[in-house]
Amino acid sequence: FVVIRDAGVKQKLRTIYDEMVAQYLGGRPQTGQTPWTEVPVLIAVCTEGEGAGAMPPSIFPAVQNLLLAAHTLGLGSVLTTLWKAREADVKAVLKLPDAFEVHAILPIGYPDRQYGRGKRRPVSEVTYRDGYGTPW
């Protein structure tokens, strides 16, 4: 885990991320996102490679636990991977060795408002038996 608080490092990562968002949105305006330079901390979640062809350990249970812990503490966050197409640039900014892989970057801060529970559709609308389209 690389905990990023330095304004200069956050600015470099923000530039990469914002460029990828602009590309993804195809010129549509970006709304509702706090710039990475304005959040208190970014956490880059990484693994160290095991060598060519090795299966990397699953890091996403740790990411999920980190997101749940942040939520429990009243903090807001989101898992981001859009920058992944520029991972080499991200690794350079973070001074990571070649053997490392960045899997997620989590911006963590205080939400601008109180959020309630997410609205979930009933299980019967999103779950199928033995194949798509067969009702549960």
Side-chain angles (χ1 to χ4, degrees):
F1 298 91
V2 180
V3 179
I4 304 140
R5 296 177 58 197
D6 180 86
V9 175
K10 287 195 293 185
Q11 178 59 55
K12 290 175 185 173
L13 293 173
R14 175 190 177 174
T15 299
I16 293 166
Y17 183 73
D18 287 352
E19 287 171 0
M20 294 307 300
V21 169
Q23 181 179 344
Y24 177 76
L25 293 177
R28 296 185 312 269
Q30 179 179 335
T31 60
Q33 296 181 359
T34 302
W36 282 9
T37 49
E38 295 179 24
V39 297
V41 68
L42 300 171
I43 299 177
V45 183
C46 311
T47 57
E48 185 174 3
E50 300 292 325
M55 176 64 81
S58 177
I59 193 70
F60 286 101
V63 171
Q64 179 183 23
N65 287 340
L66 188 58
L67 290 168
L68 290 170
H71 178 75
T72 298
L73 295 170
L75 298 168
S77 188
V78 64
L79 185 155
T80 69
T81 59
L82 190 59
W83 50 267
K84 194 79 168 141
R86 303 257 315 264
E87 183 174 4
D89 297 329
V90 169
K91 287 173 61 172
V93 170
L94 297 178
K95 302 175 186 164
L96 292 173
D98 289 340
F100 279 70
E101 182 177 354
V102 185
H103 298 279
I105 298 177
L106 311 175
I108 298 180
Y110 299 96
D112 59 355
R113 60 188 163 93
Q114 183 71 28
Y115 291 90
R117 289 185 61 107
K119 294 181 179 154
R120 295 185 177 152
R121 293 171 34 200
V123 170
S124 62
E125 290 182 18
V126 297
T127 306
Y128 304 98
R129 182 184 308 272
D130 300 322
Y132 183 79
T134 306
W136 183 256

